[in-house]
Protein backbone atom coordinates (compact mmCIF):
# COMPACT_ATOMS: atom_id res chain seq x y z
CA UNK A 1 0.00 0.00 0.00
CA UNK A 2 1.19 3.51 -0.78
CA UNK A 3 2.17 5.50 2.31
CA UNK A 4 -0.18 8.19 1.06
CA UNK A 5 -3.07 5.79 1.71
CA UNK A 6 -1.65 4.12 4.82
CA UNK A 7 -3.92 4.84 7.76
CA UNK A 8 -2.64 1.88 9.77
CA UNK A 9 -1.03 2.44 13.18
CA UNK A 10 0.21 -1.14 13.53
CA UNK A 11 2.95 -1.42 16.13
CA UNK A 12 3.01 2.31 16.91
CA UNK A 13 3.18 3.45 20.53
CA UNK A 14 0.57 6.14 21.20
CA UNK A 15 0.67 8.24 24.37
CA UNK A 16 -2.54 10.16 25.06
CA UNK A 17 -2.67 12.48 28.09
CA UNK A 18 -5.84 12.68 30.15
CA UNK A 19 -7.30 9.66 28.36
CA UNK A 20 -9.17 7.98 31.19
CA UNK A 21 -12.48 9.13 29.68
CA UNK A 22 -14.02 11.60 27.24
CA UNK A 23 -12.23 12.85 24.13
CA UNK A 24 -8.88 11.33 25.10
CA UNK A 25 -10.45 7.93 25.68
CA UNK A 26 -12.26 8.04 22.33
CA UNK A 27 -9.05 8.91 20.48
CA UNK A 28 -6.95 6.29 22.29
CA UNK A 29 -9.59 3.62 21.63
CA UNK A 30 -9.59 4.48 17.92
CA UNK A 31 -5.81 4.22 17.85
CA UNK A 32 -6.01 0.78 19.46
CA UNK A 33 -8.49 -0.36 16.81
CA UNK A 34 -6.03 0.91 14.18
CA UNK A 35 -3.24 -1.24 15.62
CA UNK A 36 -1.45 1.05 18.07
CA UNK A 37 -0.18 0.18 21.54
CA UNK A 38 -1.97 2.50 23.97
CA UNK A 39 -0.33 4.34 26.83
CA UNK A 40 -2.17 7.04 28.76
CA UNK A 41 -1.72 9.16 31.84
CA UNK A 42 -3.89 11.03 34.27
CA UNK A 43 -3.27 13.11 37.37
CA UNK A 44 -4.77 10.71 39.94
CA UNK A 45 -4.55 6.96 40.44
CA UNK A 46 -8.34 6.70 40.68
CA UNK A 47 -8.66 8.19 37.18
CA UNK A 48 -6.02 5.85 35.81
CA UNK A 49 -7.77 2.85 37.41
CA UNK A 50 -11.10 3.95 35.94
CA UNK A 51 -9.51 4.28 32.52
CA UNK A 52 -7.82 0.89 32.73
CA UNK A 53 -11.14 -0.75 33.63
CA UNK A 54 -12.86 0.91 30.67
CA UNK A 55 -10.14 -0.10 28.22
CA UNK A 56 -10.21 -3.67 29.52
CA UNK A 57 -13.99 -3.80 29.14
CA UNK A 58 -13.55 -2.71 25.52
CA UNK A 59 -10.93 -5.38 24.89
CA UNK A 60 -8.04 -2.90 24.73
CA UNK A 61 -4.70 -3.67 26.38
CA UNK A 62 -3.67 -0.23 27.64
CA UNK A 63 -1.02 0.85 30.10
CA UNK A 64 -1.71 3.76 32.44
CA UNK A 65 0.55 6.06 34.43
CA UNK A 66 -0.10 8.65 37.12
CA UNK A 67 1.50 11.91 36.03
CA UNK A 68 1.06 15.63 36.55
CA UNK A 69 1.73 16.86 33.01
CA UNK A 70 2.74 20.30 34.30
CA UNK A 71 5.62 18.75 36.29
CA UNK A 72 8.63 18.40 33.99
CA UNK A 73 10.47 15.92 36.23
CA UNK A 74 7.43 13.64 36.46
CA UNK A 75 6.90 13.81 32.70
CA UNK A 76 10.52 12.99 31.93
CA UNK A 77 10.42 10.04 34.35
CA UNK A 78 7.16 8.76 32.84
CA UNK A 79 8.47 8.93 29.27
CA UNK A 80 11.60 7.00 30.32
CA UNK A 81 9.40 4.32 31.89
CA UNK A 82 7.25 4.11 28.77
CA UNK A 83 10.31 3.72 26.56
CA UNK A 84 11.63 0.94 28.83
CA UNK A 85 8.31 -0.88 29.32
CA UNK A 86 6.48 -0.34 26.01
CA UNK A 87 8.75 1.40 23.49
CA UNK A 88 9.60 4.79 22.06
CA UNK A 89 6.55 7.03 21.72
CA UNK A 90 5.60 7.34 18.04
CA UNK A 91 2.42 9.36 18.62
CA UNK A 92 1.79 11.94 21.33
CA UNK A 93 -1.67 13.43 21.84
CA UNK A 94 -1.73 16.40 24.20
CA UNK A 95 -5.33 16.07 25.32
CA UNK A 96 -5.26 16.89 29.06
CA UNK A 97 -6.75 20.29 29.77
CA UNK A 98 -8.87 22.42 32.06
CA UNK A 99 -11.17 25.43 31.73
CA UNK A 100 -12.24 28.01 34.28
CA UNK A 101 -15.33 30.00 33.28
CA UNK A 102 -14.76 33.21 35.21
CA UNK A 103 -15.20 36.78 33.99
CA UNK A 104 -11.74 38.21 33.32
CA UNK A 105 -11.90 40.98 35.93
CA UNK A 106 -13.03 38.46 38.55
CA UNK A 107 -10.31 35.92 37.73
CA UNK A 108 -7.19 35.95 39.86
CA UNK A 109 -3.74 35.85 38.28
CA UNK A 110 -3.17 32.47 39.95
CA UNK A 111 -6.34 31.06 38.33
CA UNK A 112 -5.21 32.42 34.96
CA UNK A 113 -1.74 30.88 35.43
CA UNK A 114 -3.24 27.49 36.33
CA UNK A 115 -5.14 27.29 33.04
CA UNK A 116 -2.07 28.39 31.07
CA UNK A 117 0.04 25.83 32.94
CA UNK A 118 -2.22 22.86 32.10
CA UNK A 119 -3.37 23.88 28.63
CA UNK A 120 -0.17 25.39 27.21
CA UNK A 121 2.89 24.72 29.36
CA UNK A 122 2.07 21.01 29.73
CA UNK A 123 1.95 20.33 25.95
CA UNK A 124 5.34 22.06 25.69
CA UNK A 125 6.71 19.86 28.49
CA UNK A 126 5.25 16.68 26.97
CA UNK A 127 6.50 17.44 23.47
CA UNK A 128 9.94 18.31 24.78
CA UNK A 129 10.08 14.92 26.54
CA UNK A 130 9.27 12.80 23.46
CA UNK A 131 10.91 14.71 20.61
CA UNK A 132 14.53 13.60 21.22
CA UNK A 133 13.64 9.91 20.86
CA UNK A 134 11.41 10.67 17.88
CA UNK A 135 14.41 12.32 16.21
CA UNK A 136 16.57 9.25 16.89
CA UNK A 137 13.87 6.93 15.55
CA UNK A 138 13.41 9.07 12.45
CA UNK A 139 9.73 9.95 12.75
CA UNK A 140 7.05 11.17 15.12
CA UNK A 141 3.53 12.54 15.33
CA UNK A 142 2.40 15.15 17.85
CA UNK A 143 -1.28 16.11 17.99
CA UNK A 144 -2.38 18.97 20.19
CA UNK A 145 -6.03 19.21 21.16
CA UNK A 146 -6.65 22.85 20.46
CA UNK A 147 -10.12 24.41 20.40
CA UNK A 148 -12.31 26.80 18.51
CA UNK A 149 -11.04 29.17 21.18
CA UNK A 150 -7.76 29.06 19.26
CA UNK A 151 -9.63 31.34 16.84
CA UNK A 152 -12.56 32.83 18.75
CA UNK A 153 -13.13 34.61 22.01
CA UNK A 154 -16.13 34.35 24.32
CA UNK A 155 -17.21 35.69 27.68
CA UNK A 156 -15.58 34.13 30.78
CA UNK A 157 -12.88 32.11 28.99
CA UNK A 158 -9.99 34.58 28.73
CA UNK A 159 -7.40 32.17 30.16
CA UNK A 160 -8.61 29.22 28.08
CA UNK A 161 -8.66 31.23 24.86
CA UNK A 162 -5.20 32.62 25.59
CA UNK A 163 -3.86 29.12 26.25
CA UNK A 164 -5.45 27.55 23.18
CA UNK A 165 -4.33 30.41 20.95
CA UNK A 166 -0.82 29.85 22.29
CA UNK A 167 -1.16 26.10 21.68
CA UNK A 168 -2.02 26.78 18.04
CA UNK A 169 1.22 28.74 17.68
CA UNK A 170 3.23 26.13 19.61
CA UNK A 171 1.89 23.59 17.10
CA UNK A 172 3.18 25.68 14.23
CA UNK A 173 6.52 26.25 15.89
CA UNK A 174 7.14 22.55 16.59
CA UNK A 175 6.43 22.01 12.90
CA UNK A 176 8.93 24.74 12.03
CA UNK A 177 11.69 23.42 14.29
CA UNK A 178 11.35 19.68 13.77
CA UNK A 179 9.73 19.16 10.38
CA UNK A 180 13.14 18.36 8.91
CA UNK A 181 13.39 15.51 11.44
CA UNK A 182 10.25 13.92 9.97
CA UNK A 183 8.13 15.01 12.93
CA UNK A 184 4.65 16.27 12.11
CA UNK A 185 2.88 18.39 14.70
CA UNK A 186 -0.76 19.24 14.08
CA UNK A 187 -3.80 20.21 16.09
CA UNK A 188 -7.42 19.20 16.31
CA UNK A 189 -9.93 21.89 17.23
CA UNK A 190 -13.08 20.22 18.55
CA UNK A 191 -16.43 21.92 18.44
CA UNK A 192 -18.93 21.48 21.25
CA UNK A 193 -18.84 17.81 22.22
CA UNK A 194 -21.55 15.85 24.03
CA UNK A 195 -19.68 14.53 27.07
CA UNK A 196 -20.65 13.89 30.70
CA UNK A 197 -19.16 17.30 31.52
CA UNK A 198 -21.51 19.08 29.10
CA UNK A 199 -24.57 16.98 29.96
CA UNK A 200 -26.07 19.60 32.34
CA UNK A 201 -26.03 22.11 29.48
CA UNK A 202 -28.09 19.77 27.32
CA UNK A 203 -30.74 18.80 29.86
CA UNK A 204 -34.33 19.91 29.39
CA UNK A 205 -35.47 22.66 31.75
CA UNK A 206 -38.28 22.23 34.26
CA UNK A 207 -40.76 23.70 31.79
CA UNK A 208 -39.64 21.30 29.06
CA UNK A 209 -37.64 23.88 27.13
CA UNK A 210 -34.03 23.43 26.06
CA UNK A 211 -31.23 24.92 28.12
CA UNK A 212 -30.34 28.40 26.77
CA UNK A 213 -26.76 27.31 26.07
CA UNK A 214 -28.02 24.22 24.25
CA UNK A 215 -30.17 26.47 22.06
CA UNK A 216 -27.22 28.77 21.46
CA UNK A 217 -24.85 25.98 20.38
CA UNK A 218 -27.33 24.19 18.14
CA UNK A 219 -28.34 27.49 16.54
CA UNK A 220 -24.72 28.50 16.01
CA UNK A 221 -23.70 25.15 14.48
CA UNK A 222 -24.66 24.45 10.84
CA UNK A 223 -24.93 20.77 11.78
CA UNK A 224 -27.61 21.85 14.26
CA UNK A 225 -26.40 19.59 17.05
CA UNK A 226 -23.68 18.80 19.55
CA UNK A 227 -20.93 16.55 18.23
CA UNK A 228 -19.94 13.13 19.55
CA UNK A 229 -16.41 12.45 20.82
CA UNK A 230 -16.17 9.58 18.33
CA UNK A 231 -16.47 12.08 15.49
CA UNK A 232 -12.96 13.29 16.35
CA UNK A 233 -11.44 9.85 15.90
CA UNK A 234 -11.22 9.77 12.09
CA UNK A 235 -9.24 13.04 11.96
CA UNK A 236 -7.13 11.85 14.91
CA UNK A 237 -6.21 8.58 13.16
CA UNK A 238 -5.43 10.45 9.95
CA UNK A 239 -3.08 12.88 11.70
CA UNK A 240 -1.35 10.01 13.52
CA UNK A 241 -0.84 7.92 10.38
CA UNK A 242 1.56 7.98 7.45
CA UNK A 243 -1.30 9.26 5.30
CA UNK A 244 -0.71 12.71 6.83
CA UNK A 245 3.09 12.84 6.44
CA UNK A 246 2.84 16.01 4.33
CA UNK A 247 0.45 17.72 6.78
CA UNK A 248 2.35 19.78 9.33
CA UNK A 249 1.60 22.84 11.45
CA UNK A 250 -2.11 22.61 10.68
CA UNK A 251 -5.12 22.82 13.01
CA UNK A 252 -8.02 20.71 11.78
CA UNK A 253 -11.26 22.08 13.19
CA UNK A 254 -13.88 19.40 13.75
CA UNK A 255 -16.66 21.75 14.76
CA UNK A 256 -19.73 20.98 12.66
CA UNK A 257 -19.07 24.16 10.71
CA UNK A 258 -19.21 26.77 13.50
CA UNK A 259 -16.11 28.66 12.37
CA UNK A 260 -17.52 28.97 8.86
CA UNK A 261 -20.89 30.30 9.99
CA UNK A 262 -21.95 33.80 11.05
CA UNK A 263 -25.21 32.46 12.51
CA UNK A 264 -28.89 32.92 11.74
CA UNK A 265 -30.40 36.36 11.55
CA UNK A 266 -32.61 36.97 14.62
Amino acid sequence: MSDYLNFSLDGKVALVTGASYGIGYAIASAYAKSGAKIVFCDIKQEFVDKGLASYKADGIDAKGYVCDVTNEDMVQDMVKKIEAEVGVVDILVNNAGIIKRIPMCEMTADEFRQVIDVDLNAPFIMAKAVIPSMIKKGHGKIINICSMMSELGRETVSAYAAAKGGLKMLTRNICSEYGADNIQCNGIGPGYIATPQTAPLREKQADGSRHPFDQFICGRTPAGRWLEAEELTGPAVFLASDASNAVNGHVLYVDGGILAYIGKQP
Side-chain angles (χ1 to χ4, degrees), residues 42 56 103 123 130 136 138 161 168 200 218:
D42 221 314
K56 184 176 181 181
V130 302
K136 290 178 183 177
K168 175 182 70 175
C218 292

Short mmCIF file of all heavy atoms in Angstrom, two decimals, residues 42 56 103 123 130 136 138 161 168 200 218:
data_model
loop_
_atom_site.label_atom_id
_atom_site.label_comp_id
_atom_site.label_asym_id
_atom_site.label_seq_id
_atom_site.Cartn_x
_atom_site.Cartn_y
_atom_site.Cartn_z
N ASP A 42 -2.95 10.12 33.65
CA ASP A 42 -3.89 11.03 34.27
C ASP A 42 -3.30 11.47 35.60
O ASP A 42 -2.31 10.88 36.08
CB ASP A 42 -5.27 10.39 34.46
CG ASP A 42 -6.39 11.38 34.14
OD1 ASP A 42 -6.30 12.54 34.60
OD2 ASP A 42 -7.33 11.00 33.42
N LYS A 56 -10.11 -2.22 29.42
CA LYS A 56 -10.21 -3.67 29.52
C LYS A 56 -11.58 -4.15 29.09
O LYS A 56 -11.71 -5.15 28.37
CB LYS A 56 -9.92 -4.12 30.96
CG LYS A 56 -9.89 -5.63 31.15
CD LYS A 56 -9.49 -6.01 32.57
CE LYS A 56 -9.44 -7.52 32.73
NZ LYS A 56 -9.07 -7.91 34.13
N PRO A 103 -15.43 35.50 34.65
CA PRO A 103 -15.20 36.78 33.99
C PRO A 103 -13.78 37.28 34.25
O PRO A 103 -13.26 37.14 35.37
CB PRO A 103 -16.25 37.70 34.62
CG PRO A 103 -17.35 36.77 35.04
CD PRO A 103 -16.66 35.51 35.47
N PRO A 123 1.62 20.85 27.28
CA PRO A 123 1.95 20.33 25.95
C PRO A 123 3.40 20.61 25.54
O PRO A 123 4.03 19.78 24.88
CB PRO A 123 0.96 21.07 25.03
CG PRO A 123 -0.22 21.32 25.90
CD PRO A 123 0.36 21.64 27.25
N VAL A 130 9.30 13.89 24.45
CA VAL A 130 9.27 12.80 23.46
C VAL A 130 10.05 13.10 22.19
O VAL A 130 10.44 12.17 21.46
CB VAL A 130 7.81 12.41 23.10
CG1 VAL A 130 7.04 11.99 24.33
CG2 VAL A 130 7.10 13.54 22.37
N LYS A 136 15.70 10.42 17.03
CA LYS A 136 16.57 9.25 16.89
C LYS A 136 15.90 8.16 16.07
O LYS A 136 16.56 7.48 15.27
CB LYS A 136 16.95 8.71 18.27
CG LYS A 136 17.89 9.61 19.06
CD LYS A 136 18.17 9.03 20.43
CE LYS A 136 19.05 9.96 21.27
NZ LYS A 136 19.28 9.42 22.63
N GLY A 138 13.58 8.62 13.83
CA GLY A 138 13.41 9.07 12.45
C GLY A 138 12.01 9.48 12.07
O GLY A 138 11.74 9.79 10.91
N ALA A 161 -8.90 30.76 26.22
CA ALA A 161 -8.66 31.23 24.86
C ALA A 161 -7.20 31.62 24.67
O ALA A 161 -6.61 31.34 23.62
CB ALA A 161 -9.57 32.42 24.55
N LYS A 168 -2.02 26.76 19.51
CA LYS A 168 -2.02 26.78 18.04
C LYS A 168 -0.64 27.21 17.53
O LYS A 168 -0.08 26.61 16.61
CB LYS A 168 -3.09 27.72 17.52
CG LYS A 168 -3.09 27.90 16.00
CD LYS A 168 -4.15 28.89 15.54
CE LYS A 168 -3.80 30.31 15.94
NZ LYS A 168 -4.76 31.31 15.38
N PRO A 200 -25.13 18.66 31.72
CA PRO A 200 -26.07 19.60 32.34
C PRO A 200 -26.51 20.72 31.40
O PRO A 200 -27.62 21.26 31.56
CB PRO A 200 -25.27 20.17 33.52
CG PRO A 200 -24.26 19.11 33.84
CD PRO A 200 -23.90 18.52 32.51
N CYS A 218 -26.68 24.82 19.29
CA CYS A 218 -27.33 24.19 18.14
C CYS A 218 -27.69 25.22 17.07
O CYS A 218 -27.62 24.95 15.87
CB CYS A 218 -28.57 23.42 18.58
SG CYS A 218 -28.17 21.96 19.59
#
